[in-house]
Amino acid sequence: MQRIVRFLAFELALAGFAVLSADVCLAGDTSSTLVVPSSPSAVDITVDLPESFQPDSSKAWRLVEGTVSAPVQWLPAIAEDGSAANSRRLTARIPGAESGEGVRRFKLLPADAASPAAKSPFEFKEKNDAAIGLFDKNRPVMVYNHGTITCEQVPENDNRRTRACYVHPVWGLDGEVLTDDFPKDHYHHHGIFWAWPHVGVDGREYDLWIYRDIQQRFVRWIHRQTGPLAGVLAVENGWFVGERKVMVERVWMRCHTVDNGHRAIDFEFTWLPVDKPITLWGAGGKSYGGLNFRFAPREDTRITVPAGLTKADLPDTPLEWADLTAKFPDAPGPSGAAIFVHPAHPDFPPTWLTRHYGVLCVGWPGVEPQTFEPGKPIKLGYRVWIHKGAPEAASLKVAYDAYKAAMAANWE
């Protein structure tokens, strides 16, 4: 009788294990193990799930390494053309490791059923019919301007009087505004924006930098989501020459929660020439043309790059990252933002233009023209790292290395 009881208990235990294994991964399948390069700093990861491993996202899950447990938030994966895919990805914050060496392995496991569902601190609010804002615990983070924004101070016959499809304002962690729009020295600068001064289409040249005969226009929303770890906004725009759309532009913006005096906002871009090849190139001798961050008026500006603090402006300079720190109005101390370049960026590291008057410009493909064929996606990725204080080059390198670790996370 005791043998029968023990046998039944074993069978029940085996059945329970089989159910759990089926829920987590298939027998013999190790795709639920996430490998992340070790970092002394916390790592905000976002990684696609393997097609063979699609757990029930209606349940709460976590990444587990020994006693370390990190909750995850489910997101849609991004298709090759920049639209939302049918598969999924997860985002999570991996706590820093003491050694910062080697790799770490996390199992993806169901969370304790008794654990209460985490609430999202993020909320989207319509500012008006042309702009939507993202808030974290009712504090403003950023505004995406999808509609046409007009500055009455710019002359009516100036192409730079109106624009759309950009991020402004962006707030620092103490509520200070970090970005500028329509600055008098460069009317065409506008918060976080992406544009090229040279766009070649069908034998003609246009200027998206100052909107000469070409404009970005909103087409549709792709995705909008708030969760406990991130707020996500994805949008499709077009580049229009008159009423003719020449380029499809899809942008994913993923804003993470604040961690230890900084916040990461990830940008993933996809461009697709519509029916004609498109040639892009930056300003000769300077290399602006691509992603840009125009800073608000401030004092005590300092720009730091991997080589250290630089007092000179840097034209056409290859950089993995650059940071601008200053004293902004309404902030109790210095603050700022860095742009980190995705380590898989084409022509890594790309060339930049940095200006102490207040702009960081990632230039790609640089001053030499590069032509892109219709239907073949152009994909670029960056992280905007907003911070308190005035970090030195060594601290910025640690933050950039954490970004590289996040981008290198993979399943084995």
Side-chain angles (χ1 to χ4, degrees), residues 131-184:
I132 183 171
L134 177 64
F135 292 77
D136 181 351
K137 297 178 181 177
N138 292 320
R139 295 173 63 88
V141 177
M142 66 181 191
V143 171
Y144 180 69
N145 300 287
H146 53 90
T148 300
I149 306 298
T150 301
C151 179
E152 301 296 338
Q153 297 178 357
V154 180
E156 290 187 15
N157 61 350
D158 193 321
N159 294 335
R160 301 172 297 172
R161 181 181 171 88
T162 62
R163 73 280 306 263
C165 309
Y166 65 104
V167 179
H168 171 78
V170 175
W171 284 268
L173 303 186
D174 287 311
E176 71 277 25
V177 174
L178 297 178
T179 52
D180 201 359
D181 201 4
F182 299 98
K184 291 182 179 180

Coordinates of all heavy atoms in Angstrom, one line a residue, residues 131-184:
A131 N -0.5 66.8 -30.7 CA 0.6 66.4 -29.8 C 0.0 65.5 -28.7 O -1.1 65.6 -28.2 CB 1.3 67.6 -29.1
I132 N 0.8 64.5 -28.3 CA 0.5 63.6 -27.2 C 1.7 63.5 -26.2 O 2.9 63.5 -26.7 CB 0.2 62.2 -27.8 CG1 -0.3 61.3 -26.6 CG2 1.3 61.6 -28.5 CD1 -0.8 59.9 -27.1
G133 N 1.4 63.6 -24.9 CA 2.4 63.6 -23.9 C 2.5 62.3 -23.2 O 1.4 61.6 -23.0
L134 N 3.7 61.9 -22.7 CA 3.9 60.8 -21.9 C 4.2 61.3 -20.5 O 5.1 62.1 -20.3 CB 5.0 59.9 -22.4 CG 5.3 58.7 -21.5 CD1 4.1 57.7 -21.4 CD2 6.6 57.9 -22.1
F135 N 3.5 60.7 -19.5 CA 3.7 61.1 -18.1 C 4.1 59.9 -17.2 O 3.7 58.8 -17.5 CB 2.5 61.7 -17.5 CG 2.1 63.0 -18.1 CD1 1.5 63.1 -19.4 CD2 2.4 64.2 -17.4 CE1 1.2 64.3 -19.9 CE2 2.0 65.5 -18.0 CZ 1.5 65.5 -19.2
D136 N 5.0 60.1 -16.3 CA 5.5 59.1 -15.3 C 5.1 59.5 -13.9 O 5.7 60.5 -13.5 CB 7.0 58.8 -15.5 CG 7.5 57.8 -14.6 OD1 6.8 57.3 -13.7 OD2 8.7 57.4 -14.7
K137 N 4.1 58.9 -13.3 CA 3.6 59.3 -12.0 C 3.2 60.7 -12.0 O 3.5 61.5 -11.1 CB 4.7 59.0 -10.9 CG 5.1 57.6 -10.7 CD 6.2 57.4 -9.7 CE 6.6 56.0 -9.5 NZ 7.7 55.8 -8.6
N138 N 2.5 61.1 -13.1 CA 1.9 62.4 -13.3 C 3.0 63.5 -13.5 O 2.7 64.7 -13.6 CB 1.0 62.8 -12.1 CG -0.2 62.0 -12.0 OD1 -0.8 61.7 -13.0 ND2 -0.6 61.6 -10.8
R139 N 4.2 63.1 -13.7 CA 5.3 64.0 -14.0 C 5.6 63.9 -15.5 O 5.7 62.8 -16.1 CB 6.6 63.7 -13.2 CG 6.4 64.0 -11.7 CD 7.6 63.5 -11.0 NE 8.8 64.3 -11.4 CZ 9.2 65.4 -10.8 NH1 8.4 65.9 -9.8 NH2 10.2 66.1 -11.1
P140 N 5.7 65.0 -16.2 CA 5.9 65.0 -17.7 C 7.2 64.4 -18.1 O 8.2 64.7 -17.4 CB 5.7 66.4 -18.2 CG 6.1 67.2 -16.9 CD 5.6 66.4 -15.8
V141 N 7.2 63.6 -19.1 CA 8.5 63.0 -19.6 C 8.8 63.5 -21.0 O 9.9 64.0 -21.2 CB 8.4 61.4 -19.7 CG1 9.6 60.8 -20.3 CG2 8.1 60.8 -18.3
M142 N 7.9 63.5 -21.9 CA 8.1 64.0 -23.3 C 6.8 64.1 -24.0 O 5.8 63.6 -23.6 CB 9.0 63.0 -24.0 CG 8.4 61.7 -24.4 SD 9.6 60.6 -25.3 CE 8.4 59.3 -25.8
V143 N 6.9 64.9 -25.1 CA 5.7 65.1 -25.9 C 6.1 64.8 -27.3 O 7.2 65.2 -27.8 CB 5.2 66.6 -25.9 CG1 4.1 66.8 -27.0 CG2 4.6 66.9 -24.5
Y144 N 5.3 63.9 -28.0 CA 5.5 63.7 -29.4 C 4.5 64.5 -30.2 O 3.3 64.4 -30.0 CB 5.3 62.2 -29.8 CG 5.5 61.9 -31.2 CD1 6.8 62.0 -31.8 CD2 4.5 61.6 -32.1 CE1 7.0 61.8 -33.1 CE2 4.7 61.4 -33.4 CZ 6.0 61.5 -33.9 OH 6.2 61.3 -35.3
N145 N 5.1 65.3 -31.1 CA 4.2 66.2 -32.0 C 4.0 65.5 -33.3 O 4.9 65.6 -34.2 CB 5.0 67.6 -32.1 CG 5.2 68.3 -30.8 OD1 4.3 68.8 -30.2 ND2 6.5 68.2 -30.4
H146 N 2.8 64.9 -33.4 CA 2.5 64.2 -34.7 C 1.9 65.1 -35.7 O 2.0 64.9 -36.9 CB 1.6 63.0 -34.4 CG 0.4 63.4 -33.6 ND1 -0.8 63.8 -34.3 CD2 0.1 63.4 -32.3 CE1 -1.7 64.0 -33.3 NE2 -1.2 63.8 -32.2
G147 N 1.3 66.2 -35.3 CA 0.6 67.2 -36.2 C 1.5 68.4 -36.4 O 2.6 68.5 -36.0
T148 N 1.0 69.3 -37.2 CA 1.7 70.4 -37.6 C 1.9 71.5 -36.5 O 0.9 71.8 -35.9 CB 1.1 71.1 -38.9 OG1 1.0 70.2 -39.9 CG2 1.9 72.3 -39.3
I149 N 3.1 71.9 -36.2 CA 3.4 72.9 -35.2 C 3.9 74.1 -35.9 O 4.8 74.0 -36.7 CB 4.4 72.4 -34.2 CG1 4.0 71.0 -33.6 CG2 4.6 73.4 -33.1 CD1 2.7 71.0 -32.8
T150 N 3.3 75.3 -35.6 CA 3.6 76.5 -36.2 C 4.2 77.5 -35.2 O 3.6 77.6 -34.1 CB 2.4 77.1 -36.9 OG1 1.9 76.2 -37.9 CG2 2.7 78.4 -37.6
C151 N 5.2 78.2 -35.6 CA 5.7 79.3 -34.8 C 5.5 80.6 -35.4 O 6.0 80.9 -36.5 CB 7.2 79.1 -34.5 SG 8.0 80.4 -33.5
E152 N 4.6 81.5 -34.8 CA 4.2 82.7 -35.4 C 5.4 83.7 -35.5 O 5.4 84.7 -36.3 CB 3.1 83.4 -34.6 CG 1.9 82.5 -34.5 CD 1.2 82.3 -35.8 OE1 1.4 83.1 -36.7 OE2 0.4 81.3 -35.9
Q153 N 6.5 83.5 -34.7 CA 7.6 84.4 -34.8 C 8.5 84.2 -36.0 O 9.3 85.0 -36.3 CB 8.5 84.2 -33.5 CG 7.7 84.6 -32.2 CD 8.6 84.3 -31.0 OE1 9.7 83.8 -31.1 NE2 8.0 84.6 -29.8
V154 N 8.3 83.1 -36.7 CA 9.1 82.8 -37.9 C 8.3 83.4 -39.1 O 7.1 83.3 -39.2 CB 9.3 81.3 -38.1 CG1 10.1 81.0 -39.4 CG2 10.0 80.7 -36.9
P155 N 9.0 84.1 -40.0 CA 8.3 84.8 -41.1 C 7.5 83.8 -41.9 O 7.8 82.6 -42.1 CB 9.4 85.3 -42.0 CG 10.6 85.6 -41.0 CD 10.4 84.4 -40.0
E156 N 6.3 84.2 -42.4 CA 5.4 83.4 -43.1 C 6.0 82.7 -44.4 O 5.6 81.6 -44.8 CB 4.1 84.2 -43.5 CG 3.3 84.5 -42.4 CD 2.0 85.2 -42.8 OE1 1.6 85.1 -44.0 OE2 1.3 85.8 -42.0
N157 N 7.0 83.4 -45.0 CA 7.6 82.8 -46.2 C 8.8 82.0 -46.0 O 9.5 81.6 -46.9 CB 8.0 84.0 -47.2 CG 9.0 84.9 -46.6 OD1 9.3 84.8 -45.4 ND2 9.5 85.8 -47.4
D158 N 9.0 81.7 -44.7 CA 10.2 80.8 -44.3 C 9.7 79.4 -44.2 O 8.7 79.1 -43.4 CB 10.7 81.3 -43.0 CG 12.1 80.7 -42.7 OD1 12.3 79.5 -42.9 OD2 13.0 81.4 -42.1
N159 N 10.4 78.4 -44.9 CA 10.0 77.0 -44.8 C 10.0 76.5 -43.3 O 9.3 75.5 -43.0 CB 11.0 76.2 -45.6 CG 10.9 76.4 -47.1 OD1 9.9 76.9 -47.6 ND2 12.0 76.2 -47.8
R160 N 10.8 77.1 -42.5 CA 11.0 76.6 -41.1 C 9.9 77.1 -40.2 O 10.0 76.8 -39.0 CB 12.4 77.1 -40.6 CG 13.5 76.7 -41.5 CD 14.8 77.3 -41.1 NE 14.8 78.7 -41.3 CZ 15.8 79.5 -40.8 NH1 16.8 79.0 -40.2 NH2 15.7 80.8 -41.0
R161 N 8.9 77.7 -40.7 CA 7.8 78.2 -39.8 C 6.9 77.0 -39.2 O 6.3 77.2 -38.2 CB 6.9 79.1 -40.6 CG 5.7 79.8 -39.9 CD 4.9 80.7 -40.8 NE 3.7 81.1 -40.3 CZ 3.5 82.2 -39.5 NH1 4.6 83.0 -39.2 NH2 2.4 82.6 -39.1
T162 N 6.8 75.9 -39.9 CA 6.0 74.8 -39.5 C 6.9 73.5 -39.6 O 7.8 73.4 -40.4 CB 4.8 74.6 -40.4 OG1 5.2 74.3 -41.7 CG2 3.9 75.8 -40.3
R163 N 6.5 72.5 -38.7 CA 7.1 71.2 -38.8 C 6.2 70.2 -38.1 O 5.3 70.6 -37.4 CB 8.5 71.2 -38.2 CG 8.6 71.3 -36.7 CD 8.5 72.7 -36.2 NE 9.5 73.6 -36.8 CZ 10.6 73.9 -36.3 NH1 11.0 73.4 -35.1 NH2 11.5 74.7 -36.9
A164 N 6.5 68.9 -38.2 CA 5.8 67.9 -37.5 C 6.7 66.7 -37.3 O 7.9 66.7 -37.8 CB 4.6 67.4 -38.4
C165 N 6.2 65.7 -36.5 CA 6.9 64.4 -36.4 C 8.2 64.5 -35.6 O 9.3 64.2 -36.1 CB 7.1 63.7 -37.7 SG 5.6 63.6 -38.8
Y166 N 8.1 65.0 -34.4 CA 9.4 65.2 -33.6 C 9.0 65.2 -32.1 O 7.8 65.2 -31.8 CB 10.1 66.4 -33.9 CG 9.4 67.7 -33.6 CD1 9.8 68.5 -32.5 CD2 8.4 68.2 -34.5 CE1 9.1 69.7 -32.3 CE2 7.7 69.4 -34.2 CZ 8.1 70.2 -33.1 OH 7.5 71.4 -32.8
V167 N 10.0 65.1 -31.2 CA 9.8 65.0 -29.8 C 10.2 66.4 -29.1 O 11.3 66.8 -29.3 CB 10.6 63.9 -29.2 CG1 10.4 63.8 -27.7 CG2 10.2 62.6 -29.8
H168 N 9.3 67.0 -28.5 CA 9.5 68.3 -27.7 C 8.2 68.6 -27.0 O 7.2 68.6 -27.6 CB 9.9 69.4 -28.6 CG 10.0 70.7 -27.9 ND1 11.0 71.1 -27.1 CD2 9.1 71.8 -27.9 CE1 10.8 72.3 -26.6 NE2 9.6 72.7 -27.0
P169 N 8.3 69.0 -25.7 CA 9.5 69.1 -24.9 C 9.9 67.7 -24.4 O 9.1 66.8 -24.4 CB 9.1 70.0 -23.7 CG 7.8 70.6 -24.1 CD 7.2 69.6 -25.1
V170 N 11.2 67.6 -23.9 CA 11.7 66.5 -23.2 C 12.1 67.1 -21.8 O 12.8 68.1 -21.8 CB 12.9 65.8 -23.8 CG1 13.5 64.7 -22.9 CG2 12.5 65.3 -25.2
W171 N 11.6 66.5 -20.7 CA 11.9 67.0 -19.4 C 13.0 66.2 -18.7 O 13.2 65.0 -18.9 CB 10.6 66.9 -18.5 CG 9.6 67.9 -18.8 CD1 9.5 69.2 -18.2 CD2 8.6 67.9 -19.8 NE1 8.4 69.9 -18.7 CE2 7.8 69.1 -19.7 CE3 8.1 66.9 -20.7 CZ2 6.7 69.4 -20.5 CZ3 7.1 67.2 -21.5 CH2 6.4 68.4 -21.4
G172 N 13.8 66.9 -17.9 CA 14.8 66.2 -17.0 C 14.1 65.7 -15.8 O 12.9 65.8 -15.6
L173 N 14.8 65.0 -14.9 CA 14.3 64.3 -13.8 C 13.8 65.2 -12.7 O 13.1 64.8 -11.8 CB 15.3 63.3 -13.3 CG 15.8 62.3 -14.3 CD1 16.7 61.2 -13.7 CD2 14.6 61.6 -15.1
D174 N 14.2 66.5 -12.7 CA 13.7 67.5 -11.8 C 12.6 68.4 -12.4 O 12.3 69.4 -11.8 CB 14.9 68.3 -11.2 CG 15.7 67.5 -10.2 OD1 15.1 66.8 -9.3 OD2 17.0 67.5 -10.4
G175 N 12.1 68.0 -13.5 CA 11.0 68.8 -14.1 C 11.5 69.9 -15.0 O 10.7 70.7 -15.5
E176 N 12.8 70.0 -15.2 CA 13.4 71.1 -16.1 C 13.2 70.6 -17.6 O 13.3 69.5 -17.9 CB 14.9 71.3 -15.8 CG 15.8 70.2 -16.2 CD 16.0 69.1 -15.2 OE1 15.0 68.9 -14.4 OE2 17.0 68.4 -15.2
V177 N 13.0 71.6 -18.5 CA 12.8 71.3 -19.9 C 14.2 71.3 -20.5 O 15.0 72.2 -20.4 CB 12.0 72.4 -20.6 CG1 12.0 72.2 -22.1 CG2 10.5 72.3 -20.0
L178 N 14.6 70.2 -21.2 CA 15.9 70.0 -21.7 C 16.0 70.4 -23.2 O 17.1 70.6 -23.7 CB 16.3 68.5 -21.6 CG 16.5 68.0 -20.2 CD1 16.9 66.5 -20.2 CD2 17.5 68.8 -19.4
T179 N 14.8 70.4 -23.9 CA 14.9 70.6 -25.4 C 14.4 72.0 -25.7 O 13.7 72.7 -25.0 CB 14.0 69.6 -26.1 OG1 12.7 69.6 -25.5 CG2 14.7 68.2 -26.0
D180 N 14.7 72.5 -26.9 CA 14.3 73.7 -27.5 C 13.6 73.5 -28.8 O 13.8 72.5 -29.5 CB 15.5 74.7 -27.7 CG 15.1 76.1 -27.7 OD1 13.9 76.4 -27.6 OD2 16.0 77.0 -27.8
D181 N 12.7 74.5 -29.2 CA 12.0 74.4 -30.4 C 12.0 75.8 -31.0 O 11.8 76.8 -30.3 CB 10.6 73.9 -30.2 CG 9.9 73.4 -31.4 OD1 10.6 73.3 -32.5 OD2 8.7 73.0 -31.4
F182 N 12.2 75.9 -32.3 CA 12.3 77.2 -33.0 C 13.3 78.1 -32.4 O 13.0 79.3 -32.2 CB 10.9 77.9 -33.1 CG 9.9 77.1 -33.8 CD1 9.0 76.3 -33.1 CD2 9.8 77.1 -35.2 CE1 8.0 75.6 -33.8 CE2 8.8 76.4 -35.9 CZ 7.9 75.7 -35.2
P183 N 14.5 77.7 -32.0 CA 15.5 78.7 -31.4 C 15.9 79.7 -32.5 O 15.9 79.4 -33.7 CB 16.7 77.8 -31.1 CG 16.6 76.6 -32.0 CD 15.1 76.4 -32.1
K184 N 16.1 80.9 -32.0 CA 16.3 82.0 -32.9 C 17.6 81.9 -33.8 O 17.7 82.4 -34.9 CB 16.4 83.4 -32.1 CG 15.1 83.8 -31.5 CD 15.2 85.1 -30.8 CE 13.8 85.5 -30.2 NZ 14.0 86.9 -29.5

